[in-house]
Amino acid sequence: MIDVYLLSGFLGSGKTSLLQHLIKQWKAEGKLPAVIMNEFGKLPFDSGAVDGDVPLKELLQGCICCTGSEKTEAQIQSLLLEHNPDVILIETTGAAHPVEALDAVMSPLYADRLQFKGIVSVADSKLWLEKEKLSPQVRMLFLEQLRHAHLILLNKSDLLDENELSTVTSGIQMINDHAMVIQTVHGKLPLSFLKQMIPNVNNSDVTKTRIGNELHLSAKLIKFESTVKMENFENWVRNLPSTVYRMKGHVLIEGQKYPMLFQYAYGMVQWLPEYIKMEPQIVLIGENLKEIEWLRGMAHA
């Protein structure tokens, strides 16, 4: 299993500085980190910050969370085949929504090889104090990046006095009481904090992407051992809690030669035929997924 961390945060918050410090620490431990860097423009502006001996894949001209999802899958598969790293760090653009980004990263094609450890969001301390000056759309994105994080860095904390730091810390904890909030300068974070993101334990029926029990946004891989009636599967989907935001993967439907591509987003279901044999498994993304599973007996209920 290869550990995967998603680095989130608003434009200019210090994600690349964090990335550099983490790479240096993993290399010091003799580990091979690999990086996927998402940038908006045609030129890899931040990619030069990554050492030449670190495997790097770039996603240019688009967000990892929308048009770039297929490219993201291809880049991750390429990293796995060419380098087999010990850890993968994915730095998103400052405009990426964390749920959408996680959806792009956790493909059923390789989910059983990856151990997703969590979302690390970098917050600009000064920007928090001035967030009311942002447009409503930008402010909402800024808050969403913090709301879904598993670990929050209160970066540029040296620019605030004690009262301001207290205000920012309490404000962030009010919108996300699950995440640990750590004050940082120049994105310097000891690797030990990431190692505290303890994986879940597998059970015999469901393979889970391993996020600690204290973390709310998570992903879960469910595998199918036999064919499924489409009607039964869709009934199961309709009865899932509203905290399931995304599902995607392949389901072996009764009467079909190959597993069908299935996608779900906020109540909307889509089926597409496949013409090659794909692994019958789906990835769920959302909150409180621990108790959700597909029961074998439901296939022919």
Side-chain angles (χ1 to χ4, degrees):
M1 301 296 292
I2 299 171
D3 290 346
V4 178
Y5 296 88
L6 195 66
L7 307 186
S8 177
F10 204 63
L11 298 164
S13 59
K15 295 190 299 297
T16 303
S17 295
L18 168 65
L19 178 68
Q20 290 176 306
H21 290 299
L22 294 178
I23 288 173
K24 186 179 297 184
Q25 293 177 78
W26 262 304
K27 289 172 67 176
E29 292 187 355
K31 303 291 186 181
L32 176 63
V35 174
I36 291 180
M37 186 169 284
N38 185 202
E39 303 194 54
F40 270 127
K42 297 181 180 180
L43 298 176
F45 182 76
D46 288 327
S47 301
V50 178
D51 295 341
D53 60 344
V54 173
L56 170 69
K57 299 293 181 180
E58 298 160 340
L59 292 166
L60 306 178
Q61 287 186 280
C63 180
I64 191 175
C65 59
C66 45
T67 56
S69 61
E70 290 185 0
K71 293 180 181 178
T72 305
E73 287 186 356
Q75 297 289 46
I76 292 177
Q77 284 187 301
S78 178
L79 278 179
L80 296 176
L81 289 172
E82 296 172 12
H83 303 285
N84 193 32
D86 297 301
V87 58
I88 297 176
L89 299 165
I90 301 176
E91 181 184 337
T92 64
T93 72
H97 189 289
V99 175
E100 301 283 350
L102 180 56
D103 178 55
V105 169
M106 294 309 299
S107 168
L109 296 176
Y110 43 70
D112 54 355
R113 290 192 62 192
L114 303 183
Q115 180 166 268
F116 180 71
K117 298 296 290 290
I119 297 172
V120 182
S121 283
V122 185
D124 184 322
S125 304
K126 295 286 287 185
L127 184 61
W128 175 271
L129 294 174
E130 300 172 357
K131 63 184 182 298
E132 299 306 320
K133 297 179 182 179
L134 301 172
S135 68
Q137 296 86 351
V138 172
R139 183 168 63 250
M140 179 60 70
L141 175 61
F142 178 51
L143 296 177
E144 285 289 284
Q145 290 172 338
L146 298 175
R147 183 175 290 117
H148 293 288
H150 305 122
L151 176 65
I152 297 173
L153 305 193
L154 190 54
N155 203 31
K156 306 179 185 179
S157 58
D158 55 324
L159 303 180
L160 275 60
D161 60 32
E162 289 188 10
N163 289 334
E164 290 173 328
L165 279 173
S166 177
T167 298
V168 175
T169 303
S170 61
I172 289 177
Q173 289 175 332
M174 285 182 65
I175 67 168
N176 185 344
D177 60 358
H178 298 272
M180 181 184 300
V181 180
I182 302 172
Q183 297 175 12
T184 58
V185 177
H186 302 304
K188 292 184 178 180
L189 177 74
L191 201 55
S192 58
F193 285 104
L194 267 66
K195 293 180 178 179
Q196 290 177 33
M197 296 168 129
I198 302 172
N200 280 329
V201 178
N202 289 347
N203 61 37
S204 58
D205 295 323
V206 179
T207 303
K208 305 170 184 174
T209 49
R210 292 88 173 150
I211 297 179
N213 293 324
E214 75 280 4
L215 307 178
H216 52 302
L217 182 64
S218 59
K220 183 173 186 175
L221 179 68
I222 294 181
K223 297 186 177 184
F224 299 93
E225 298 178 356
S226 59
T227 59
V228 175
K229 287 185 177 180
M230 184 178 288
E231 179 183 358
N232 293 342
F233 184 82
E234 290 188 345
N235 285 336
W236 176 73
V237 170
R238 280 192 287 270
N239 286 290
L240 290 174
S242 60
T243 52
V244 177
Y245 305 139
R246 293 280 192 275
M247 285 190 286
K248 61 180 179 180
H250 293 87
V251 183
L252 186 56
I253 296 297
E254 198 172 78
Q256 298 292 321
K257 182 178 180 180
Y258 299 115
M260 293 187 68
L261 175 64
F262 169 78
Q263 296 193 58
Y264 168 93
Y266 299 105
M268 299 296 292
V269 170
Q270 182 182 33
W271 291 98
L272 292 171
E274 285 282 11
Y275 301 100
I276 58 174
K277 187 175 181 180
M278 303 295 291
E279 189 73 22
Q281 56 190 24
I282 59 173
V283 170
L284 284 70
I285 296 173
E287 300 178 73
N288 304 317
L289 303 180
K290 186 176 180 181
E291 303 302 323
I292 296 175
E293 58 182 316
W294 172 261
L295 301 177
R296 295 186 184 91
M298 295 174 66
H300 301 284

